[in-house]
Amino acid sequence: MSVNRRANHFHAFLTGISLLVLTFNSFSQYNIQGKITNENGAPLPFASVTEKGGSSGTTTKEDGSFTIDVTSTRATLIVSYVGYETKEVSVNNQLFVSVALLAAGNSLDSVAVIGYGTARKKDLTGAVSSVSEKNFNKGIYTSPDLLIQGKVAGVQVMSNDGSPGGATTIKIRGNSAITGTGQPLFVVDGVPLDGRSLERDVNPLNFLNPIDIASIDILKDASATAIYGSRAAYGVVIINTKKGQTGEAKIDVAVSAGVSSALKTIDVLNASQYREAIKYYGVDNSFDKGGNADAQDAILQNGWQQNYSVAGSGGNDNGRYRFSAGYLNQDGIIINTGFKKYTSDFSANLKCLKSKKLGLDFHVNSSQYIQHGSDLSGGNGGSVFFALTWNPTASLTNADGSLRMLPSEGANPIAYSQYAKENLKVTTILGSISPSYKFTNWLEYKVLLSINYSSGISRSSTDQALGVYQFASPTGYASIANNELITEQITHTLNFNKDIFPNLNLNAVAGYEYMKFTSQGFNLSANGAGNGFGNYGIDYTNYIQYSDQGSRNIASYLDPISELESFFGRMIFNYKD
């Protein structure tokens, strides 16, 4: 009995020891040390190191070293650092682990478009700045140049008058013409834009939908002038649109809305300050009209914006495609001003032949935008000018609610914004086709054929109600203008990219380009006949045929056709990167 009892006690003791060992093993941890660097071997301090599927985690010290406890000698570490690609590393029974992280997107090896070709960013010797989609300004914009406002050192993007769709001025490294109107050359997917404008104060990039833009490259120095000629005297802005990606077809839908308002107004005298000034300077009290008006506030409003777009893409190794459509509606911050735009875009990239050496790129962009409002920057000064010069002691409306319009007083800014109308409708088609043939992996020939057609119809009218003022016709005024711009292009390029000697690479391009520019249009303007155009609630331009024949002014033009022929070349030698 005693022997059996002792045996049972011994068995229980062994069982307890086994359970303790198993418990110890289940909670055991292994200490791993290591170091995190970038691809050049420089340490990365404060990088994050965690065990995949576990709860352990730590950060690296200033010298990139770290220590972490993991649950297994076969654990996997997840290493991450801001601006670098996240990497998973298996411990594999090692007690010390070294990890080198690559810059996110391998940015040094990414390419930039430098005119008739591309180059790796780390190989660039000229002053080139690139802004990709992820770094664009966020918001609702009418044109892509505003996507990089404040994003590139040495590049200023300024809105000329703040109106929706209004022109902007882009200065690269402070470049400007004697007249102050010098603009850079815009190139969209290899197609240089005309540079001329259908109407004054219109942005030449309005036809593009910002959501279709993949990246913008800016050439700042003399190398841009060397490759593009005098057109690039004020720099070059290269706009690259999105292309289709291989994989299953996908649809992207985006809806956004917002509101814009004037952050501040120009400080002018209010009614009480105006009256004090009259007394102080001893001016005739007849200047005091007995009212209280804030003319700036009267013409300002909250500008509501809405933007809708849909895009689809897909493809495989033999061909990729992308299409998009967009609609933008934006009210101006000044009453009776606004901007609407309809856009569509389609591109395809095909590989032909069994060897896939023959390629074919196709791209067509079409858009129509409508800009409407009073003449904000016309010869009369516009509603903003009239608001700034309005007597603040004069009410803007009469007792019955009608607009106060007296010949002896300045023009009523509300009346001007309501009765002076200017509407511009611009239709643009930019199409290109580019076949290419790759003789070898390092030699490729490409030809680009493109046409850029723009047509602008401008309708301006001044209601005869403004006839109480000297600057306006008492019978009303109407004007219709139609302008067309056509640019045709053919470009041949031969690209060479090869290691010609050990550690020595040559990237070269040679090309020929021919461009043809055509501009034509007409203008018809007239005053109302007899008692004027009348008040039928219809814009005068819709029945301008009933105008006063003696006041009619009809003009048409066809500018001399201009042509540009260019030969160009570039070589980049790269020794040991």
Side-chain angles (χ1 to χ4, degrees):
M1 296 291 294
S2 62
V3 174
N4 290 336
R5 187 178 294 113
R6 289 176 180 173
N8 290 336
H9 288 165
F10 184 72
H11 182 268
F13 175 76
L14 292 178
T15 302
I17 292 297
S18 298
L19 289 173
L20 287 173
V21 172
L22 289 173
T23 303
F24 176 78
N25 284 337
S26 65
F27 288 99
S28 64
Q29 292 184 322
Y30 299 91
N31 184 268
I32 305 297
Q33 295 181 341
K35 187 173 184 178
I36 310 301
T37 64
N38 62 16
E39 64 268 31
N40 297 320
L44 296 178
F46 310 112
S48 174
V49 182
T50 59
E51 181 186 2
K52 186 175 183 180
S55 58
S56 299
T58 186
T59 57
T60 58
K61 299 177 181 179
E62 292 187 359
D63 61 354
S65 64
F66 70 92
T67 300
I68 186 173
D69 292 328
V70 297
T71 58
S72 170
T73 56
R74 295 188 178 277
T76 299
L77 301 181
I78 300 176
V79 183
S80 61
Y81 190 77
V82 176
Y84 287 77
E85 295 179 352
T86 300
K87 192 171 185 178
E88 294 187 6
V89 180
S90 179
V91 175
N92 283 336
N93 296 314
Q94 301 177 84
L95 297 179
F96 189 89
V97 178
S98 296
V99 182
L101 297 183
L102 294 177
N106 203 9
S107 59
L108 291 178
D109 286 330
S110 59
V111 298
V113 179
I114 55 176
Y116 306 104
T118 60
R120 293 187 303 177
K121 291 182 180 179
K122 67 179 181 181
D123 296 339
L124 294 175
T125 56
V128 180
S129 294
S130 299
V131 184
S132 60
E133 181 184 12
K134 66 179 181 180
N135 295 319
F136 286 160
N137 291 320
K138 309 303 179 185
I140 304 174
Y141 299 103
T142 56
S143 61
D145 49 352
L146 298 175
L147 296 172
I148 60 172
Q149 189 172 33
K151 290 289 185 179
V152 183
V155 177
Q156 296 174 290
V157 182
M158 298 167 290
S159 178
N160 291 357
D161 59 20
S163 61
T168 59
T169 296
I170 300 179
K171 291 185 178 181
I172 299 177
R173 288 187 169 177
N175 284 338
S176 60
I178 295 177
T179 59
T181 58
Q183 286 278 65
L185 172 68
F186 297 107
V187 181
V188 179
D189 289 335
V191 180
L193 300 186
D194 191 319
R196 295 174 293 180
S197 179
L198 288 165
E199 290 287 335
R200 56 174 171 75
D201 298 323
V202 171
N203 193 320
L205 300 178
N206 275 343
F207 73 97
L208 293 170
N209 187 347
I211 203 170
D212 291 328
I213 308 304
S215 64
I216 298 178
D217 299 303
I218 300 175
L219 313 185
K220 302 178 181 180
D221 60 7
S223 62
T225 309
I227 198 70
Y228 281 107
S230 60
R231 294 174 295 169
Y234 301 99
V236 181
V237 177
I238 299 178
I239 300 173
N240 311 296
T241 62
K242 296 178 181 177
K243 301 296 186 291
Q245 302 295 326
T246 57
E248 294 183 359
K250 65 176 183 177
I251 299 292
D252 296 320
V253 178
V255 178
S256 56
V259 62
S260 58
S261 60
L263 295 178
K264 62 179 181 178
T265 56
I266 297 177
D267 191 16
V268 296
L269 298 179
N270 57 32
S272 60
Q273 293 170 335
Y274 190 86
R275 291 188 176 96
E276 291 177 1
I278 289 176
K279 293 179 182 179
Y280 180 82
Y281 291 104
V283 179
D284 188 348
N285 285 334
S286 63
F287 284 94
D288 185 352
K289 305 301 179 180
N292 187 352
D294 186 341
Q296 289 188 76
D297 183 68
I299 65 169
L300 294 176
Q301 65 177 4
N302 291 326
W304 292 96
Q305 311 167 31
Q306 49 186 321
N307 190 24
Y308 307 91
S309 64
V310 58
S313 64
N316 52 39
D317 292 339
N318 294 320
R320 297 172 284 116
Y321 67 90
R322 183 183 183 274
F323 64 87
S324 71
Y327 168 72
L328 169 69
N329 189 352
Q330 179 177 356
D331 295 328
I333 61 174
I334 297 177
I335 58 176
N336 300 316
T337 64
F339 182 88
K340 289 184 180 180
K341 180 163 69 171
Y342 309 86
T343 61
S344 67
D345 186 271
F346 177 79
S347 64
N349 309 93
L350 307 176
K351 295 294 183 181
C352 308
L353 303 180
K354 187 176 181 179
S355 62
K356 297 182 181 179
K357 290 186 176 182
L358 180 63
L360 181 64
D361 296 338
F362 176 80
H363 180 217
V364 60
N365 177 286
S366 62
S367 72
Q368 183 178 91
Y369 68 82
I370 303 170
Q371 187 177 9
H372 65 89
S374 59
D375 183 5
L376 300 178
S377 56
N380 299 319
S383 55
V384 174
F385 171 80
F386 294 134
L388 293 174
T389 56
W390 182 257
N391 185 340
T393 65
S395 299
L396 291 166
T397 57
N398 298 315
D400 60 357
S402 60
L403 294 174
R404 181 187 181 105
M405 300 173 64
L406 299 176
S408 58
E409 299 177 355
N412 188 316
I414 299 179
Y416 189 83
S417 65
Q418 180 176 333
Y419 293 130
K421 300 177 181 178
E422 184 169 348
N423 297 277
L424 175 65
K425 180 167 67 175
V426 176
T427 303
T428 302
I429 297 176
L430 175 62
S432 66
I433 184 170
S434 178
S436 61
Y437 188 80
K438 210 163 190 177
F439 297 100
T440 66
N441 291 331
W442 47 267
L443 185 63
E444 182 181 24
Y445 166 76
K446 178 180 289 187
V447 59
L448 172 68
L449 297 98
S450 72
I451 183 168
N452 185 9
Y453 172 82
S454 296
S455 173
I457 301 177
S458 174
R459 294 175 177 266
S460 304
S461 63
T462 303
D463 196 287
Q464 60 191 64
L466 292 176
V468 297
Y469 303 120
Q470 291 184 350
F471 64 79
S473 169
T475 59
Y477 170 82
S479 171
I480 301 176
N482 185 12
N483 300 300
E484 289 183 336
L485 295 176
I486 304 173
T487 303
E488 301 167 81
Q489 171 194 7
I490 180 170
T491 305
H492 302 269
T493 55
L494 187 64
N495 285 273
F496 180 98
N497 191 355
K498 181 178 173 58
D499 292 331
I500 53 178
F501 294 107
N503 299 321
L504 181 62
N505 175 271
L506 172 62
N507 182 339
V509 61
Y512 165 80
E513 182 175 80
Y514 170 80
M515 301 186 72
K516 179 180 177 182
F517 307 93
T518 305
S519 175
Q520 58 186 6
F522 74 90
N523 177 276
L524 168 63
S525 61
N527 296 326
N531 295 325
F533 281 108
N535 185 15
Y536 304 107
I538 305 174
D539 192 277
Y540 294 165
T541 58
N542 291 315
Y543 53 102
I544 194 173
Q545 65 269 29
Y546 298 110
S547 60
D548 178 22
Q549 294 187 11
S551 67
R552 291 177 186 171
N553 182 17
I554 303 175
S556 61
Y557 72 92
L558 173 62
D559 288 346
I561 294 175
S562 58
E563 298 170 306
L564 179 65
E565 191 173 20
S566 307
F567 298 90
F568 53 88
R570 176 181 60 240
M571 290 187 295
I572 300 176
F573 287 97
N574 183 346
Y575 179 68
K576 286 189 176 181
D577 287 330

